[in-house]
Amino acid sequence: KQEVTQIPAALSVPEGENLVLNCSFTDSAIYNLQWFRQDPGKGLTSLLLIQSSQREQTSGRLNASLDKSSGRSTLYIAASQPGDSATYLCAVSGAGNNRKLIWGLGTSLAVNP
Amino acid sequence: EAGVTQFPSHSVIEKGQTVTLRCDPISGHDNLYWYRRVMGKEIKFLLHFVKESKQDESGMPNNRFLAERTGGTYSTLKVQPAELEDSGVYFCASSPRGLASSSYNEQFFGPGTRLTVL
């Protein structure tokens, strides 16, 4: 049974810092991995998707890496800004016909001005 | 292009009542998913439609939950009768049909419906 763990559960940093959020999963037979952002009381915004055959994806100040064999992904945020404050969620999609997502609990990030 | 929409955004009902949530996926997306987040827990899968057919409903909590997707367009999720533990945020997501060559099957999410059962 696939389980997804995110560390740390919460993080508070001063503006401008580079930071890394971690995601681990127990079953390496995944189809893809997505990182999402959720603002308080809002929906889920997809940030990056990494296919199982890929090693990393980049979008602006965000870089996500995937090491499928070790069951790990990291989300790197460069030069953090107060607007980056949100909950970041990691989810993996299984390799079967059903692409249902299995989720971590998320990392709550606060970037202080 | 319009994104995934969900209605209502909030619903407050009393235990024993019935509530119906609606999801309109992105036009042309064959795959439609329902997920739920209960406070303090991770988001969990409820079920998956491919067009109008239920591909996987293994995440549905019990028979008080009924999902439909008539005509393969919008979907409804009905909870009858609602219980206190049904409170949470219900998310809907859609993705295009996978292609043989490559399809990221990226799921696009709606804003969610926050359900409170009193």
Side-chain angles (χ1 to χ4, degrees):
Chain A
K1 178 188 171 187
Q2 179 73 275
E3 292 184 0
V4 179
T5 303
Q6 291 188 246
I7 294 173
L11 185 61
S12 180
V13 300
E15 180 177 5
E17 271 204 9
N18 301 323
L19 54 99
V20 174
L21 307 181
N22 296 291
C23 172
S24 61
F25 46 96
T26 54
D27 185 351
S28 62
I30 65 169
Y31 184 73
N32 61 39
L33 182 147
Q34 280 185 257
W35 281 94
F36 293 85
R37 167 185 173 142
Q38 185 176 26
D39 293 275
K42 303 287 185 179
L44 299 164
T45 301
S46 180
L47 297 173
L48 290 165
L49 180 147
I50 312 177
Q51 288 284 77
S52 61
S53 57
Q54 297 175 323
R55 297 284 292 184
E56 66 177 347
Q57 282 288 333
T58 298
S59 175
R61 293 182 295 108
L62 306 179
N63 176 277
S65 68
L66 174 64
D67 184 343
K68 201 175 85 157
S69 61
S70 68
R72 294 180 183 177
S73 176
T74 61
L75 179 67
Y76 175 82
I77 303 177
S80 58
Q81 303 171 358
D84 295 330
S85 299
T87 296
Y88 291 80
L89 295 151
C90 166
V92 298
S93 172
N97 287 330
N98 185 348
R99 301 279 187 254
K100 68 182 180 185
L101 294 174
I102 309 297
W103 299 78
L105 273 170
T107 294
S108 177
L109 172 65
V111 181
N112 307 304
Chain B
E1 178 183 294
V4 178
T5 58
Q6 293 186 246
F7 182 84
S9 57
H10 293 86
S11 180
V12 180
I13 62 173
E14 292 190 351
K15 175 183 172 180
Q17 289 186 321
T18 297
V19 63
T20 300
L21 314 181
R22 173 171 170 144
C23 168
D24 286 78
I26 293 172
S27 178
H29 280 193
D30 287 347
N31 293 294
L32 187 149
Y33 300 82
W34 284 98
Y35 295 87
R36 177 176 74 172
R37 185 167 200 172
V38 172
M39 188 178 294
K41 302 282 185 70
E42 69 274 18
I43 297 172
K44 289 204 169 174
F45 165 81
L46 295 178
L47 88 157
H48 169 212
F49 284 100
V50 177
K51 296 186 179 179
E52 68 275 7
S53 299
K54 292 177 185 174
Q55 177 80 10
D56 181 355
E57 52 184 329
S58 62
M60 295 287 263
N62 50 60
N63 59 10
R64 294 185 294 102
F65 289 74
L66 175 64
E68 294 180 326
R69 191 180 182 196
T70 306
T73 55
Y74 70 91
S75 174
T76 58
L77 179 64
K78 181 161 67 174
V79 185
Q80 179 183 28
E83 298 288 344
L84 299 180
E85 63 265 25
D86 301 333
S87 296
V89 181
Y90 290 77
F91 291 103
C92 174
S94 71
S95 69
R97 181 173 57 187
L99 302 174
S101 56
S102 68
S103 172
Y104 295 139
N105 283 122
E106 182 174 2
Q107 294 185 24
F108 298 88
F109 280 77
T113 292
R114 181 174 297 277
L115 174 64
T116 302
V117 182
L118 302 176

